[in-house]
Amino acid sequence: MGKDFGRPPKADKNRELIEQRLKEIADGGGVRETLTVEWRTQPLHVEVIDMPVQDLYYNPGTHRIQAQRSHEPELDKLLDEAPWELESQNYLRRLLQVLPEDPEKEDPAFRELVESLRTDRQKEPGLITRDGVLVNGNTRQAALKELTVANIRVGVLPESCTWDDINAVELSLQLRPDQRREYSYINRLLAMDEQHALGRPIADVAREFRIRTSTCEQDLWVLTCLRDLIQRSGDGGARLRLLDFEKQQEKLREVYRRYSKEAPVSRDDAELLKETRLAAIVLEFSKTDVRLIEPDFRERYLDKWLPEELKTAAEAPTTGVIIPGLNRTVKSAAPRVAQAKALTDLILEAKAVMTAKGDPLSERSRVAIARFSAAEKAFEAALEPAGKDARVRKRKQAAQDRITDACQDIEQCITDLTLARASGSLDEEAFDEAVLTLRETLTKLAVATQRSIKAPGDGVSWLRESVRKEGV
């Protein structure tokens, strides 16, 4: 069940005004505007009315800014304890306007919304409870407040609405295909995890979010991994936050795919690869750089560049496993994995101190900056020979290169089409036959990927879905 935030101070006043305006609409006999929502698994048409902007409340449980709430821990705590206080509501309003990955900056999409409302006014109604809590339209409310608009058009949910209903309706509205502004990456992960934690099977959650079950499993794995990284990054005073990983979506998904491929062969190698790639992600290396990291990356390349001070500081604890009954201790398995985790922990802790709002000149900050910089330089130096070796391997596995060459040919085809149109020299029947051949070839390629690629990325997934829609 979702958190119950109780009723806001103006709840009774809002209920009275809402009932009055709904009655006026019912007695008016004119054309009535309605909004269709999914209500307890069934479509429901709710009446739309005008409500004063200043009387409505932002939803403290909205999924849109769930990760960003941790930006200011004290206000986040206040939001849980006193969600209807002016300070809490103003914090929500501010978070609705900022970049998901950097709450210190305004989101350009919010500015576009403000300008759209300024010129075209409100096109789509929001949605509220009878107490005046916004279920949908929180960001529009913030924009209308900035424009000092007096009223907002909103649909009104039934009187029996609970906080579980609020969460379910908000989610169903957000996941409609025609929604223009999606949840940020991390907030989407949190919304999926919330549904799964309620006991819903992964297949049902995937269906709700209009994704494959395998993609849902991948995203839940990533969220678990991120929570582990945050826990390992330090104490509550200096700890990374989920929002610090907002821009790492593709990198994290690739870690999962590569981990899933390696794990059936060697669990230790899979853990080595995961830890080292996650360290590179925290160091903010590019996606193409992270791809170069294989299980042997540290042994073959990184150890040559890691300074001794960093190796010592990140040395794994020499704990062992006690054999029951013999009172003897033996070395734990996979010391390389323990060393990789220790190095990742060191980088996480340094990054947490650097992102915390502390004194940048303190001894702790200076040590963190020095360690982070040393790790960054070591990875950068190690990635250069790793990249050279990877290019040699790619020449032996040229499937992706052939796709790239085909793309270049198609780009040239677009240019040729433009020239042919200008000169009237295009043989349309021959061109149509060539396109049909392309379709057949892509179908064969999709079938081949089914046999060869077990954890498909976005590109292969698109290819398979396109062929599926063709009915093949």
Side-chain angles (χ1 to χ4, degrees):
M1 295 181 63
K3 181 177 174 60
D4 187 339
F5 291 95
R7 301 182 69 200
K10 295 181 182 178
D12 291 334
K13 176 186 174 183
N14 282 332
R15 276 183 176 267
E16 184 179 343
L17 180 59
I18 288 168
E19 294 299 333
Q20 177 186 337
R21 295 195 171 181
L22 288 173
K23 185 176 184 305
E24 289 173 355
I25 290 176
D27 294 343
V31 178
R32 297 154 66 173
E33 182 182 6
T34 61
L35 175 68
T36 303
V37 299
E38 185 178 316
W39 176 255
R40 298 172 183 170
T41 73
Q42 298 294 326
L44 175 70
H45 306 292
V46 300
E47 299 285 354
V48 175
I49 62 174
D50 283 345
M51 282 293 290
V53 168
Q54 297 299 329
D55 289 347
L56 301 184
Y57 293 89
Y58 298 110
N59 176 11
T62 179
H63 297 89
R64 183 168 296 285
I65 47 86
Q66 194 171 357
Q68 287 68 37
R69 283 181 46 168
S70 64
H71 178 57
E72 295 192 30
E74 291 185 4
L75 288 175
D76 185 18
K77 182 180 179 182
L78 180 64
L79 199 49
D80 274 331
E81 297 173 350
W84 313 117
E85 293 291 332
L86 181 60
E87 190 174 6
S88 296
Q89 288 287 301
N90 284 340
Y91 184 47
L92 281 172
R93 177 183 176 185
R94 179 152 56 88
L95 292 180
L96 289 163
Q97 303 177 34
V98 300
L99 279 171
E101 66 272 16
D102 188 357
E104 295 293 338
K105 299 178 181 178
E106 183 182 72
D107 190 345
F110 177 76
R111 188 51 45 196
E112 291 174 9
L113 175 61
V114 170
E115 295 308 315
S116 173
L117 289 170
R118 189 196 308 275
T119 56
D120 301 329
R121 300 193 177 183
Q122 186 184 353
K123 294 180 180 179
E124 297 292 331
L127 187 67
I128 61 171
T129 67
R130 303 273 169 147
D131 287 344
V133 178
L134 284 153
V135 178
N136 189 41
N138 284 272
T139 311
R140 270 170 285 173
Q141 163 95 344
L144 290 171
K145 274 193 173 184
E146 180 166 322
L147 294 170
T148 64
V149 174
N151 294 294
I152 179 173
R153 286 173 31 249
V154 287
V156 183
L157 287 173
E159 291 188 42
S160 62
C161 181
T162 66
W163 278 100
D164 284 339
D165 291 325
I166 291 173
N167 290 334
V169 171
E170 184 206 8
L171 194 60
S172 68
L173 286 170
Q174 175 58 36
L175 295 178
R176 281 181 176 177
D178 60 350
Q179 281 291 317
R180 295 183 180 178
R181 191 187 179 202
E182 296 182 350
Y183 289 149
S184 70
Y185 172 54
I186 297 298
N187 287 324
R188 190 176 177 85
L189 296 187
L190 289 170
M192 281 191 282
D193 182 63
E194 180 182 284
Q195 294 299 303
H196 185 49
L198 292 174
R200 299 185 63 185
I202 288 183
D204 289 351
V205 177
R207 193 178 305 112
E208 184 83 17
F209 282 80
R210 296 180 175 84
I211 57 177
R212 299 185 307 276
T213 301
S214 59
T215 302
C216 187
E217 291 172 345
Q218 163 194 273
D219 287 343
L220 292 176
W221 182 91
V222 166
L223 182 58
T224 300
C225 190
L226 292 182
R227 284 172 168 160
D228 177 56
L229 291 181
I230 290 169
Q231 186 68 31
R232 291 160 54 187
S233 68
D235 56 41
R239 179 179 287 180
L240 292 176
R241 305 155 300 175
L242 283 171
L243 64 89
D244 293 319
F245 296 92
E246 276 285 9
K247 298 177 70 175
Q248 312 299 340
Q249 175 175 346
E250 286 305 316
K251 300 177 195 176
L252 292 166
R253 285 180 170 178
E254 288 194 1
V255 170
Y256 170 81
R257 291 194 290 267
R258 188 65 183 83
Y259 179 90
S260 300
K261 185 177 180 180
E262 192 69 40
V265 180
S266 170
R267 176 67 65 175
D268 288 347
D269 282 352
E271 288 295 327
L272 267 174
L273 179 135
K274 182 187 79 170
E275 286 296 328
T276 313
R277 286 199 175 192
L278 289 174
I281 290 172
V282 175
L283 290 167
E284 298 186 5
F285 281 95
S286 69
K287 181 169 66 174
T288 52
D289 283 337
V290 174
R291 284 176 185 162
L292 298 174
I293 296 174
E294 294 295 327
D296 61 353
F297 177 78
R298 177 165 181 174
E299 186 177 6
R300 290 188 63 185
Y301 310 107
L302 186 58
D303 275 342
K304 299 175 185 177
W305 301 98
L306 276 176
E308 286 301 320
E309 181 184 356
L310 202 59
K311 286 182 182 179
T312 303
E315 192 170 322
T318 55
T319 56
V321 177
I322 299 176
I323 301 177
L326 297 181
N327 196 28
R328 293 181 61 186
T329 302
V330 297
K331 288 185 177 180
S332 59
R336 292 188 304 153
V337 175
Q339 291 172 358
K341 287 186 175 181
L343 179 60
T344 304
D345 288 348
L346 181 72
I347 295 170
L348 286 167
E349 291 165 7
K351 183 69 173 286
V353 172
M354 291 167 60
T355 56
K357 295 180 179 179
D359 181 5
L361 300 179
S362 68
E363 179 64 20
R364 189 184 186 193
S365 294
R366 288 200 298 269
V367 170
I369 292 170
R371 287 182 173 177
F372 190 88
S373 178
E376 187 177 37
K377 290 177 181 177
F379 268 78
E380 188 173 3
L383 283 167
E384 185 174 347
K388 290 179 180 178
D389 289 349
R391 286 191 290 273
V392 172
R393 288 194 299 271
K394 282 181 68 176
R395 283 197 291 270
K396 299 177 181 178
Q397 301 171 347
Q400 61 271 29
D401 293 333
R402 295 188 183 279
I403 292 286
T404 302
D405 291 342
C407 290
Q408 292 174 352
D409 288 340
I410 291 175
E411 289 286 347
Q412 184 59 47
C413 174
I414 295 170
T415 302
D416 292 344
L417 274 174
T418 303
L419 295 174
R421 182 179 61 188
S423 61
S425 59
L426 177 65
D427 186 338
E428 295 186 6
E429 291 183 0
F431 182 80
D432 190 66
E433 290 178 3
V435 172
L436 289 174
T437 302
L438 174 63
R439 184 176 68 176
E440 293 173 4
T441 304
L442 288 175
T443 300
K444 293 177 183 177
L445 179 61
V447 172
T449 64
Q450 292 275 13
R451 300 168 182 163
S452 306
I453 300 176
K454 302 303 181 186
D458 291 343
V460 173
S461 298
W462 168 84
L463 175 64
R464 293 179 183 178
E465 181 67 15
S466 299
V467 170
R468 186 190 65 77
K469 289 180 178 178
E470 286 285 329
V472 179

